[in-house]
């Protein structure tokens, strides 16, 4: 800890907004060990900032006053950055009003409440992790998955692993991916809200390392025209109150426990509405779609990478890490999605499946795009929304998901999305890609 020794000790108190950009204010004297963290002032209308430098119409305008309260559990300090940069210190925050009451429009508060419902109503907890894909821009393009691709990107990847280790988020796996200079990094899973926090932490640390090395990277769903797509697949497993996984059951269908089957069935039932929370940008629809390994249909599959929800096997035995058993991998999600709202939506959908005792759809062993319309109809498989307009309309029709929002949050979210759709209505796809690549 290097508190109190000059300007390099700024700690950023950060909040993740509705377009999944992280914004905040700096504190010169934050010490996560001795204080719960002083709050900093915040403005409700900050939620209405878009990803392109604008502010959309919103319910608060210039009025209202909030506080960002940093959570010491999320404190990160990285002081071994390349190029002798000042340490990068930050803590993630929740929003409260001036009476210290949780602000219901804060995405982190929405997830806290949803995770609380999962525990109170079902005695369940969620362990989750994001697979982060990103592209390195402006470099010659090596061949996919090759060690050549990985080594050419150095020292980026090694510096990312060092920084993530220092951030305490347990980097697990780093790999060159299929797209042009595309890489993937995963970190250890975490419980509940901490899992969404970790998703934010990993991205911000990777971005800082790239800045330190003067490399341009993007987590945008599309790296460049024809250059590949970045997903942010979310793996989920359910645990009981003692921390034991209740995901697997050797006697259950597909080896899943009854409760996880119903939970997965709930996610399947709400996939169209979830698009509005998980693939929530205009550019998201240049990624999701058939034959892209990003999911184009409402299909469930065991070990099928064209499925929207894939049952993924657990870690290989002998990996030296605790075996967590299989996980549910939610694939139509990207880095323009606020991870708190996306996860809250997925959990709310899963809980609806448990409550209504929904049956899990049949697992599809082929690419659903290879089936004809009749076969898909027979299996209950539908195309996922193919545009942001359709996704927002599906979200609007989904009461389970819209119940997560208070009126003001809903008004702000729909205002942002309407403005985003209009902004790009006549823009050529390649220019859309460039605009989001810059923002993310
Ligand atoms: N890049 C793909 C996506 O956009 C995922 C590839 C993979 O399965 O890792 O989702
Ligand atoms: Mg991947």
């Amino acid at each position: 800890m290097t508190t109190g020794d000059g300007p390099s000790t700024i700690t950023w108190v950060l909040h993740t907004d509705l377009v999944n950009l992280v914004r905040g204010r700096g504190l010169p004297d934050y010490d996560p060990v001795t204080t719960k963290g002083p709050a900093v002032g915040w403005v409700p209308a900050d939620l209405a900032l878009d990803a392109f430098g604008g502010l959309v119409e919103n319910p608060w305008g210039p009025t209202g006053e909030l506080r960002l309260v940093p959570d010491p559990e999320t404190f990160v300090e990285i002081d071994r950055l390349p190029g002798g940069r000042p340490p990068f210190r930050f803590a993630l925050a929740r929003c409260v009003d001036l009476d210290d009451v949780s602000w219901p429009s804060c995405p982190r508060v929405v997830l806290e409440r949803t995770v609380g419902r999962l525990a109170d109503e079902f005695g369940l907890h969620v362990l989750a992790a994001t697979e982060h894909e990103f592209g390195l821009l402006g470099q010659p393009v090596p061949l996919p998955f090759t060690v050549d691709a990985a080594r050419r990107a150095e020292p980026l990847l090694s510096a990312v692993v060092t920084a993530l280790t220092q951030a305490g988020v347990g980097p697990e796996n780093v790999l060159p991916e299929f797209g042009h200079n595309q890489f993937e990094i995963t970190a250890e899973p975490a419980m509940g809200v901490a899992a969404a926090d970790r998703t934010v932490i990993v991205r911000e640390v990777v971005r800082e390392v790239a800045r330190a090395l003067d490399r341009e990277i993007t987590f945008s769903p599309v790296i460049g025209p024809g250059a590949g797509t970045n997903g942010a697949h979310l793996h989920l497993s359910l645990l009981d109150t003692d921390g034991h996984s209740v995901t697997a059951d050797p006697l259950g269908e597909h080896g899943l426990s009854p409760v996880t089957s119903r939970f997965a069935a709930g996610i399947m039932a709400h996939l169209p509405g979830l698009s509005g929370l998980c693939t929530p940008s205009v550019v998201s629809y240049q990624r999701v779609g058939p034959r892209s390994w990003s999911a184009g249909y409402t299909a469930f599959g065991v070990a099928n990478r064209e499925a929207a929800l894939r049952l993924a096997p657990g870690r290989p035995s002998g990996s030296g890490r605790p075996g967590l058993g299989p996980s549910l991998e939610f694939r139509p999600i990207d880095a323009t999605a606020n991870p708190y709202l996306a996860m809250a939506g997925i959990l709310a959908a899963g809980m609806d499946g448990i409550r209504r005792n929904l049956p899990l759809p049949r697992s599809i062993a082929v690419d659903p795009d290879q089936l004809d319309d009749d076969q898909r109809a027979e299996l209950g498989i539908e195309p996922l929304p193919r545009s942001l307009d359709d996704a927002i309309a599906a979200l609007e029709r989904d009461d389970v998901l819209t119940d997560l929002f208070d009126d003001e949050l809903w008004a702000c979210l729909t205002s942002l999305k309407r403005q985003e759709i209009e902004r790009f209505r006549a823009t050529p796809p390649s220019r859309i890609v460039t605009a989001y690549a810059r923002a993310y």
Side-chain angles (χ1 to χ4, degrees):
M1 174 88 38
T2 54
T3 48
D5 60 357
S8 67
T9 61
I10 294 172
T11 297
W12 294 98
V13 178
L14 299 177
H15 189 248
T16 303
D17 68 16
L18 295 183
V19 294
N20 199 30
L21 291 178
V22 173
R23 318 201 198 225
R25 297 183 178 186
L27 282 174
D29 53 2
Y30 176 74
D31 179 351
V33 177
T34 56
T35 70
K36 282 197 102 182
V40 298
W42 201 241
V43 180
D46 281 336
L47 266 195
L49 291 162
D50 69 19
F52 310 101
L55 178 74
V56 305
E57 217 171 284
N58 65 81
W60 310 285
T63 64
E65 198 62 57
L66 296 166
R67 297 278 182 260
L68 287 183
V69 184
D71 178 346
E73 293 292 316
T74 66
F75 176 70
V76 166
E77 177 177 48
I78 297 163
D79 61 7
R80 276 178 268 139
L81 284 161
R85 277 165 85 81
F88 186 33
R89 293 165 52 110
F90 63 88
L92 306 183
R94 58 202 302 280
C95 259
V96 299
D97 65 18
L98 296 188
D99 298 321
D100 221 18
V101 175
S102 299
W103 189 45
S105 295
C106 169
R108 197 166 186 266
V109 167
V110 172
L111 180 58
E112 286 168 6
R113 290 186 175 165
T114 311
V115 163
R117 278 219 324 266
L118 184 67
D120 295 346
E121 200 177 330
F122 303 103
L124 291 171
H125 304 268
V126 65
L127 184 74
T130 296
E131 290 178 21
H132 298 271
E133 293 181 330
F134 63 95
L136 170 61
L137 306 176
Q139 306 287 318
V141 178
L143 294 173
F145 301 114
T146 58
V147 71
D148 181 53
R151 294 299 295 173
R152 276 173 196 272
E154 290 290 28
L156 179 70
L157 300 182
S158 294
V160 159
V161 168
T162 303
L164 291 175
T165 305
Q166 221 196 351
V169 294
E172 263 195 336
N173 205 338
V174 53
L175 60 132
E177 253 281 3
F178 182 70
H180 293 180
N181 276 309
Q182 185 186 30
F183 301 93
E184 176 173 324
I185 188 126
T186 53
E188 293 278 347
M191 295 297 300
V193 176
D197 287 339
R198 185 161 289 191
T199 298
V200 176
I201 290 170
V202 170
R203 277 193 202 116
E204 291 317 301
V205 168
V206 174
R207 286 182 170 128
E208 173 66 13
V209 171
R211 283 189 290 264
L213 290 169
D214 215 10
R215 298 290 185 93
E216 204 186 333
I217 61 160
T218 188
F219 288 91
S220 171
V222 187
I223 296 169
T229 60
N230 288 326
H233 308 164
L234 184 67
H235 288 259
L236 306 137
S237 5
L238 295 176
L239 307 190
D240 63 19
T241 19
D242 297 325
H244 299 126
S245 175
V246 293
T247 307
D249 176 347
L251 301 178
E253 199 186 0
H254 308 308
L256 287 176
S257 68
V259 74
T260 300
S261 270
R262 283 145 61 203
F263 181 82
I267 296 173
M268 294 302 299
H270 290 280
L271 278 172
L274 284 171
S275 294
L277 296 178
C278 299
T279 46
S281 298
V282 169
V283 78
S284 300
Y285 297 86
Q286 292 190 39
R287 169 180 170 255
V288 285
R291 297 180 187 234
S292 61
W293 289 32
S294 61
Y297 295 92
T298 62
F300 171 73
V302 176
N304 182 345
R305 287 178 172 77
E306 280 290 348
L309 192 67
R310 176 176 87 110
L311 178 58
R315 283 176 178 143
S317 60
S319 65
R321 296 198 175 97
L324 294 162
S327 59
L328 299 171
E329 182 190 19
F330 186 92
R331 296 177 67 86
I333 178 165
D334 66 49
T336 64
N338 176 300
Y340 302 96
L341 293 185
M343 199 162 142
I346 292 168
L347 296 184
M351 284 191 273
D352 186 50
I354 303 176
R355 269 187 219 110
R356 289 163 58 206
N357 205 11
L358 292 179
L360 188 58
R362 260 175 53 196
S363 163
I364 306 301
V366 295
D367 178 348
D369 201 52
Q370 287 170 354
L371 305 172
D372 62 34
D373 287 349
D374 291 344
Q375 288 169 315
R376 279 194 292 266
E378 204 173 303
L379 291 161
I381 297 176
E382 287 167 18
L384 282 168
R386 295 276 199 263
S387 68
L388 184 58
D389 310 53
D390 290 352
I392 297 302
L395 176 60
E396 215 150 12
R397 287 193 297 272
D398 191 323
D399 293 344
V400 168
L401 300 181
T402 54
D403 272 2
L404 291 167
F405 300 92
D406 72 332
D407 290 348
E408 293 178 340
L409 177 54
W410 179 250
C412 185
L413 182 77
T414 47
S415 170
L416 271 164
K417 294 298 126 181
R418 267 197 308 272
Q419 184 260 13
E420 187 174 331
I421 290 165
E422 285 318 314
R423 174 187 201 98
F424 291 114
R425 204 173 280 289
T427 310
S430 61
R431 290 245 208 102
I432 294 176
V433 168
T434 311
Y436 284 89
R438 210 174 285 137
Y440 293 95

